[in-house]
Amino acid sequence: MGKLRAAQYACSLLGHALQRHGASPELQKQIRQLEGHLSLGRKLLRLGNSADALESAKRAVHLSDVVLRFCITVSHLNRALYFACDNVLWAGKSGLAPRVDQEKWAQRSFRYYLFSLIMNLSRDAYEIRLLMEQESSACSRRLKGSGGGVPGGSETGGLGGPGSPGGGLPQLALKLRLQVLLLARVLRGHPPLLLDVVRNACDLFIPLDKLGLWRCGPGIVGLCGLVSSILSILTLIYPWLRLKP
């Protein structure tokens, strides 16, 4: 499935590149047809995914963390609805239900897909926040244990202290820099979370473009879809890279 998805978005990216470089219309048409066949093949292979997403939602209901339970359950429910719409689209494109309004059902499917990705990214943000708090607490304990302190902090009246003229901006910049460094450290120490963030962020461009909320163009959509597909393949090859639960 991941390989088909990667091939489909590779075709989308290739078609955009050929169009920009003035390739022959016949070649562009062949690439678009190949992309359409790959898309239809993926829809056929996803016929049972709606039931799988519902089962995943049932399992997520029993998670102890309230925020994770909400984000993961709602994400799976939206994925189930997305796959259901996708099945209707497949029936229409394959000729089983020729009267299906494909544009309407495509818009519905991408809307559910967008909601699912928003929930996924909300879950990622929540996990990042928890890990950053843990890492910050651990750093504070290490500093206290070694008798160190934060140079230039408000306790010493150094740079950025409340009594310093114009100290607010340097203090804000220092805090921002420390937060960025902390974020980088957390993501570097948790590859599954980093991979999930990048994959969801790449996927987000696809429904945004299809729904007309943010026109990215076929080149960006193809590139983001290809990157996301490659990352998904990596989680299949190396299961420890898959974010749990």
Side-chain angles (χ1 to χ4, degrees), residues 121-201:
L121 287 169
S122 299
R123 176 258 183 99
D124 291 338
Y126 175 70
E127 296 222 33
I128 288 172
R129 175 177 162 271
L130 290 181
L131 290 170
M132 288 179 69
E133 288 177 353
Q134 293 173 9
E135 186 68 26
S136 181
S137 298
C139 288
S140 298
R141 286 195 297 270
R142 285 195 295 268
L143 283 172
K144 288 179 182 178
S146 62
V150 181
S154 59
E155 297 89 346
T156 60
L159 179 62
S164 304
L169 190 59
Q171 185 182 26
L172 182 62
L174 177 61
K175 285 183 178 179
L176 181 61
R177 182 170 178 269
L178 290 174
Q179 288 296 310
V180 171
L181 291 174
L182 185 60
L183 174 63
R185 183 171 181 172
V186 164
L187 291 177
R188 187 171 63 246
H190 299 81
L193 182 56
L194 173 61
L195 188 145
D196 199 66
V197 170
V198 175
R199 186 176 61 180
N200 286 322

Side-chain angles (χ1 to χ4, degrees), residues 93-125:
K93 290 185 177 181
S94 62
L96 293 177
R99 296 185 180 180
V100 166
D101 187 339
Q102 295 192 22
E103 181 63 27
K104 181 179 73 175
W105 282 97
Q107 290 292 303
R108 285 178 180 172
S109 69
F110 282 118
R111 199 175 298 122
Y112 290 128
Y113 186 31
L114 177 61
F115 290 155
S116 175
L117 290 173
I118 290 172
M119 287 295 102
N120 289 344
L121 287 169
S122 299
R123 176 258 183 99
D124 291 338

Side-chain angles (χ1 to χ4, degrees), residues 232-244:
S232 296
I233 292 171
L234 282 178
T235 63
L236 296 176
I237 299 174
Y238 305 104
W240 65 272
L241 285 174
R242 182 180 293 275
L243 187 63
K244 298 179 179 65

Side-chain angles (χ1 to χ4, degrees), residues 9 11-12 23 56 61 66 70 85 98 109 115 145 157 173 189 208-209 216 222 240:
Y9 284 109
C11 285
S12 176
S56 298
V61 168
V66 177
F70 174 78
C85 293
S109 69
F115 290 155
L208 287 176
D209 180 78
C216 312
W240 65 272

